[in-house]
Amino acid sequence: MTDIQFQSATALAGAVRRGERSPVDLVDAYLDRIADRNEELNAYVTVLEDEARERAREAEQAIEEGADLGPLHGVPIAIKDLHQPKAGVPNTKGLKPLADNVATETALVVERLEAAGAIVLGTTNTPELGHTMRTDNELLGPTPTPFDPEGERNAGGSSGGSAAALADGLCALATGSDMGGSLRNPAACCHVVSVKPTYGLVPHDDRPDAFSSHTPFGVLGPMARTVDDVALMLSVMVGKDDVDPFSVPAPDVDYQAATDRPADEYSLAFTPDLDTFPVAESVRAVCRDAVDAVADAGVSVADITFGGPDKGDLTYAYGTTAAPQFARGARILKREHGIDVTGAAADDLSPSFVSTVTMGQGYDTDEYLDTNTIRTELYDAVEAVLADHDALVMPALATPPLTHDEPYPTEIEGESAGGLPMDWGLTWPFNMTGHPVMSVPAGLTDDGLPIGLQLVGSRYAEDDLLAIAAAFEEANPWADDYPGARGN
């Protein structure tokens, strides 16, 4: 029997509602595992042991009193220590100089999850301001993927703490955010499921700049071990709120019911590389096998040639739009907290963060706006594929998980790469288009390292992506792959 910490959140929520599971017992079980594993895993920044136990007792009392129960009643979750603060809890944003910063307000998405009955266990590790694709910082250090017994390979970033906590049974659900793959990269490194929703679907109440997520499209989203769990969590997170000038009403669709749709309803377009990225043969092979498995289950699959911009243009466009966002974040840090990222505080920050801020300070307005032409070309190319197929399917990363210290690839399978994060992650192009994207486990390499697939869909078609993801899960189940699960 699966240990309680590795059971699905959907099953746990149902058991709580039926009186078969106690919220107190659930929280105790997860806190016990956190106490046993977090020193090694480095997934949590702050653990809310006393508060979580108090919330669990309140949840149990609500059941005893016959109160109306939310869809996540009693389910223990983790929240990323970045854009999802909780009032009264440290919100470091991965910054050593903000080690003692305590949030004064609770983010809207956290409010929604708690209103649905979820119990927050704590906050999870992230690189400074989520600026890169590996989770490491000067405050807490690196977070490894649980799939590396030596603890040397990174959990990916920037939602690596959340992904690692899920994969090691330290929470049932977790939040993340994504401006270049920060939900999908760690999901791939840790063998979990995530959704980068259509821009505007999950409201973002970031302040002082409510417009900061627009270029490139940055979003908040759910992470879980199963497709059903992601569907359940997404259904709680979506919906318009006027605090976000870009938010839209929730679609009239049942995300959980979508996971039961027949596989043969769907057509997939597969590319191993967008015809522009070098990709390791081990990644290609695992992704090919996963795609062939869903084809055998009845999903229509076509290998395609992708006609979008080349890698050089894409890299230029993304860097020119993303780096200024971190320069803007640095200005806010200096104004609100007195932290001079490129000055006195630099010694307490990762060199990669300082260099990203410095790079972002160097672009002018014309360069920034001219990238819209490349973004439009990319958007049109994705739309051309989706005119004939329900999803574009491709790897999430060019190689298996990297170690904490190795450089980003300069060569893959004999092809030259630039040594940038964008040479490793294949996720960031879709932050320039705003399409929804899911990451699902594709399988494990011969060395037991996880490989992830991303499913790119039409805007507001998350229900179709969930149905397709469920087909992948059924064709190639991954629930028993987690190293910490019983029997592994």
Side-chain angles (χ1 to χ4, degrees), residues 300-311:
S300 174
V301 177
D303 290 351
I304 63 156
T305 299
F306 189 76
D310 65 26
K311 180 173 176 283

Side-chain angles (χ1 to χ4, degrees), residues 186-249:
C189 287
C190 295
H191 216 52
V192 298
V193 186
S194 69
V195 181
K196 179 186 86 70
T198 305
Y199 185 68
L201 193 61
V202 175
H204 197 304
D205 56 347
D206 210 13
R207 291 298 186 273
D209 186 356
F211 293 84
S212 64
S213 62
H214 184 268
T215 304
F217 294 128
V219 299
L220 309 177
M223 307 181 82
R225 287 183 296 270
T226 75
V227 176
D228 279 345
D229 287 357
V230 157
L232 172 61
M233 192 175 181
L234 182 65
S235 68
V236 172
M237 298 172 74
V238 301
K240 186 177 186 298
D241 192 288
D242 289 337
V243 72
D244 182 350
F246 299 109
S247 68
V248 299

